[in-house]
């Protein structure tokens, strides 16, 4: 995983905490679909309801794409949360936009990819959140199977799991994130969303989310 700038990572983490797109509850953990107990819950779709934050994220994602993926010819959003930011980015860059479904549409053309499919077109994938990377990389693979050249992926936030780093490396996909877990924790302490005493528990969760005990 790469980032554009550490100050941007801190700024985005601050804004996501401020609007409660990221919530930290080590004393009352959330349960993920995987069954993992987690002290953090991230829903970056909330940023869409806050124009200042929405535009901040859009602008930094545009800068990231322009810096890391200069050959980009189209933007692809991952359904569903990657669609709105992807469309905003494509509009800002003046590029075609498509999006990738999690499974083919069950009627009509039964499309997996919505929008004009142009084999050979160089595309950057937009995600809102990366955990293990499974669903994100499936979208990238679907784009490759349709004939696109996937330059890489940008996301708003990543938990920074080792398994995600391995999965992206194995797939040969560059991942660029605006912010990440290591930028979040210092900001959360600074803004008093958590206490220094709970910091260790949050650090331990990231190291072993499956075996973490509150």
């Amino acid at each position: 995983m790469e980032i554009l700038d550490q100050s941007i990572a801190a700024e985005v983490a601050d804004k996501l905490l401020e609007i409660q797109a990221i919530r930290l509850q080590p004393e009352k953990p959330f349960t993920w679909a995987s069954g993992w107990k987690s002290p953090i819950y991230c829903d970056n779709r909330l940023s869409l309801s806050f124009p200042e934050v929405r535009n901040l994220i859009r602008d930094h994602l545009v800068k990231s794409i322009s810096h890391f993926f200069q050959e980009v010819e189209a933007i692809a959003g991952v359904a569903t949360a990657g669609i709105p930011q992807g469309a905003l980015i494509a509009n800002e860059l003046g590029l075609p936009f498509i999006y990738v479904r999690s499974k083919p549409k069950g009627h009509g053309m039964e499309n997996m990819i919505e929008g004009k499919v142009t084999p050979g077109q160089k595309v950057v994938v937009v995600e809102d959140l990366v955990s293990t990377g499974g669903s994100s990389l499936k979208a990238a693979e679907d784009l490759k199977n349709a004939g696109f050249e996937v330059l890489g992926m940008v996301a708003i936030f990543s938990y920074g799991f080792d398994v995600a780093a391995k999965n992206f490396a194995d797939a040969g996909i560059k991942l660029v994130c605006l912010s990440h877990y290591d930028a979040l924790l210092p900001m959360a302490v600074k803004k008093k969303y958590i206490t220094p005493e709970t910091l260790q528990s949050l650090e331990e969760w990231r190291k072993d989310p499956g075996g973490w005990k509150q």
Side-chain angles (χ1 to χ4, degrees):
M1 181 190 71
E2 297 193 51
I3 62 169
L4 186 63
D5 187 273
Q6 290 289 357
S7 63
I8 290 175
E11 179 185 26
V12 171
D14 182 24
K15 293 299 183 183
L16 294 176
L17 285 166
E18 183 180 301
I19 65 172
Q20 296 189 318
I22 291 180
R23 298 191 182 199
L24 296 168
Q25 294 182 190
E27 73 290 343
K28 189 180 178 182
F30 304 95
T31 302
W32 284 6
S34 62
W36 285 357
K37 294 293 183 182
S38 169
I40 180 173
Y41 183 76
C42 182
D43 182 6
N44 292 324
R45 288 168 293 195
L46 272 173
S47 66
L48 298 167
S49 298
F50 298 85
E52 179 187 349
V53 180
R54 181 182 69 215
N55 293 337
L56 174 78
I57 288 171
R58 178 203 62 200
D59 291 347
H60 286 324
L61 287 172
V62 165
K63 289 176 187 175
S64 296
I65 292 171
S66 298
H67 178 79
F68 288 101
F69 307 111
Q70 296 177 9
E71 297 179 348
V72 61
E73 297 173 337
I75 301 296
V78 179
T80 57
I83 293 175
Q85 278 294 347
L88 290 169
I89 291 164
N91 188 64
E92 194 72 11
L93 289 171
L95 294 175
F97 177 70
I98 57 176
Y99 70 85
V100 188
R101 294 177 174 272
S102 58
K103 59 183 179 180
K105 186 165 63 174
H107 58 279
M109 297 293 289
E110 299 186 350
N111 293 338
M112 189 73 182
I113 298 170
E114 298 290 359
K116 181 173 173 54
V117 174
T118 307
Q121 196 170 49
K122 296 175 181 178
V123 66
V124 171
V125 186
V126 177
E127 260 288 23
D128 73 322
L129 172 68
V130 172
S131 52
T132 64
S135 59
S136 306
L137 290 170
K138 180 183 179 301
E141 187 65 24
D142 290 335
L143 287 162
K144 287 182 178 180
N145 291 339
F148 289 95
E149 181 182 344
V150 178
L151 297 180
M153 184 177 299
V154 295
I156 299 171
F157 189 82
S158 170
Y159 294 118
F161 293 143
D162 290 340
V163 65
K166 182 179 185 305
N167 288 340
F168 276 89
D170 289 347
I173 300 291
K174 179 190 285 289
L175 173 64
V176 177
C177 294
L178 293 188
S179 193
H180 51 87
Y181 199 69
D182 286 342
L184 173 74
L185 294 186
M187 184 59 65
V189 172
K190 179 180 178 180
K191 294 300 182 75
K192 299 183 179 179
Y193 290 99
I194 59 172
T195 64
E197 290 72 27
T198 60
L199 181 61
Q200 182 178 354
S201 179
L202 288 161
E203 290 174 337
E204 290 172 352
W205 172 80
R206 212 279 301 276
K207 294 175 185 175
D208 183 17
W212 178 76
K213 305 293 184 184
Q214 67 184 98

